[in-house]
Amino acid sequence: MADPSIQTFCCHKPRMGNPSVSLMSEFNSTTYNIVCLVSSVLGCLGAIYQMLPRTDKSLSRRWFSLTSQRGRQIVVWLALADFLASLGVSMRSIVKLNNSLTMSWDEKAIIFCTILAAWIEYFYMVTWLWTLLYAVDTWLAFGQRQGYPKLYHAMAWTIPAFLTTTGLTLLYFPNADCHNFGTVKPDPTFTRLLPNYVLMYSMIAAVMLLAPCFFVASARNADSLVSSCLRQVTNKERSVVQAIRLKFALIVGMFAICWTPNLVNGIIIWCTWGNLSVSFLLGLWYLMAAVNPLQAFLNSIVYRRANTKIDFQFTVRLTDETAPLLPSNINT
């Protein structure tokens, strides 16, 4: 599970009466961490599957490519970030299941917890940006325009680093006592807790809003591209365009399934703090523990190309990264 609520649990032990105490005890429970571990292991396996090299079974006769080579490169980087994020979740779960640092509040435990929290937040932010960049590059590709791989990498790796550093620095420094703000005057809750919530949830919301727009535009470009290149559109061409639309819908739907619970969680926490429905939040957190790390596993399904197979000899036929989705002779 990747959520700002979890990151506050790296702070010093809250005073009794704080509503986070009961939630924290469940976060450290065996059941919760088993759910996280199973989901994250599945995520790691899905990400590894995505990164395996592939060859195209019908490259010489393909008239329309569902994913260009440059799209494939984006998917591989997305899978790498997914793997590292899921690995962080699994490491945190294993540590808590071993009970070595679970309820310890010394500086060593706090630092270890903080590092894992930053690791998980950073790489999930990277996956969100790669998801959006995939939508942008697909739109450019169907518009027969070149991609910008260097710019993609600069954005995908540096923006999350800046946001993660900013959010967690405000949360943990100068002291990791982020559960007891209400006892201090003036109360710094908004200046220390809220920024990290806003930064994470704003990125999730941006992907949910912008990615569908780019995919809708890409689908329209696909229709126009087929009509302009062919005098007559056959059932085969129509089925491929429909497959493209379905793939875009699945990507958007998968992302919504994995991350909508986090947005709901944030709204509930900030709207009902002091009168939290602990049972409802726990159910929501178990849902997030299951679906957040499963993003990598689901990505391996929705981004999969039907006309490719895994090359266990690691011999991959690569095309130019800026190659258009359509070959020069569309009828071949």
Side-chain angles (χ1 to χ4, degrees):
M1 169 175 164
D3 192 84
S5 308
I6 298 298
Q7 291 155 359
T8 64
F9 292 168
C10 295
C11 301
H12 291 302
K13 185 177 181 179
R15 295 178 176 89
M16 295 307 296
N18 192 302
S20 62
V21 174
S22 58
L23 294 174
M24 187 182 300
S25 61
E26 186 64 30
F27 173 68
N28 291 320
S29 69
T30 300
T31 304
Y32 181 86
N33 284 285
I34 288 177
V35 173
C36 289
L37 182 59
V38 172
S39 181
S40 60
V41 169
L42 288 175
C44 288
L45 294 176
I48 292 173
Y49 174 78
Q50 275 290 86
M51 290 186 288
L52 292 176
R54 283 169 167 76
T55 54
D56 197 317
K57 294 185 292 185
S58 57
L59 185 64
S60 62
R61 300 187 60 82
R62 180 180 59 188
W63 71 272
F64 202 100
S65 175
L66 292 178
T67 307
S68 65
Q69 179 60 30
R70 74 195 204 195
R72 168 63 184 164
Q73 294 297 324
I74 292 177
V75 170
V76 169
W77 288 112
L78 169 60
L80 176 61
D82 260 330
F83 173 78
L84 293 173
S86 296
L87 182 63
V89 175
S90 63
M91 289 172 58
R92 183 179 64 191
S93 300
I94 292 172
V95 169
K96 290 186 175 297
L97 288 172
N98 288 331
N99 295 318
S100 57
L101 297 173
T102 297
M103 297 304 293
S104 175
W105 300 101
D106 58 19
E107 292 300 323
K108 178 182 178 182
I110 292 172
I111 292 173
F112 180 79
C113 180
T114 302
I115 292 173
L116 273 182
W119 176 285
I120 295 169
E121 177 178 335
Y122 171 71
F123 283 111
Y124 271 122
M125 279 192 172
V126 172
T127 67
W128 302 338
L129 260 182
W130 276 124
T131 300
L132 180 58
L133 291 172
Y134 179 86
V136 172
D137 190 73
T138 300
W139 171 65
L140 292 173
F142 277 105
Q144 295 185 298
R145 285 172 284 184
Q146 67 176 5
Y148 302 93
K150 293 182 179 180
L151 178 60
Y152 298 161
H153 280 279
M155 295 176 62
W157 302 108
T158 59
I159 293 177
F162 172 76
L163 297 180
T164 301
T165 302
T166 301
L168 296 187
T169 298
L170 292 173
L171 179 64
Y172 294 132
F173 292 98
N175 59 74
D177 193 19
C178 54
H179 286 286
N180 303 308
F181 294 154
T183 62
V184 181
K185 301 297 183 181
D187 187 357
T189 300
F190 283 93
T191 58
R192 293 192 62 177
L193 281 179
L194 187 59
N196 197 40
Y197 278 86
V198 171
L199 293 174
M200 286 193 70
Y201 292 154
S202 295
M203 184 173 290
I204 294 175
V207 177
M208 287 185 176
L209 293 174
L210 295 177
C213 296
F214 283 107
F215 283 140
V216 168
S218 299
R220 291 175 179 172
N221 287 342
D223 290 332
S224 301
L225 197 57
V226 172
S227 300
S228 63
C229 293
L230 297 175
R231 295 180 180 178
Q232 182 179 3
V233 180
T234 66
N235 289 332
K236 180 180 179 181
E237 285 76 38
R238 291 192 187 94
S239 65
V240 172
V241 173
Q242 288 300 317
I244 293 172
R245 292 180 181 273
L246 176 61
K247 179 178 181 178
F248 293 162
L250 289 175
I251 292 174
V252 172
M254 179 277 302
F255 191 87
I257 290 173
C258 290
W259 299 107
T260 298
N262 296 64
L263 295 180
V264 175
N265 173 72
I267 293 172
I268 292 175
I269 286 179
W270 283 97
C271 292
T272 64
W273 184 258
N275 188 28
L276 292 174
S277 174
V278 176
S279 59
F280 180 80
L281 275 180
L282 287 180
L284 195 59
W285 284 14
Y286 271 95
L287 178 61
M288 289 190 290
V291 298
N292 286 178
L294 274 182
Q295 174 184 253
F297 180 80
L298 296 176
N299 276 344
S300 68
I301 299 174
V302 298
Y303 286 98
R304 187 178 65 87
R305 293 173 58 181
N307 60 339
T308 60
K309 63 179 180 179
I310 298 173
D311 187 351
F312 292 101
Q313 287 74 38
F314 293 92
T315 56
V316 185
R317 178 176 179 179
L318 299 177
T319 59
D320 186 78
E321 190 169 359
T322 60
L325 287 174
L326 293 175
S328 57
N329 185 359
I330 197 170
N331 293 311
T332 60

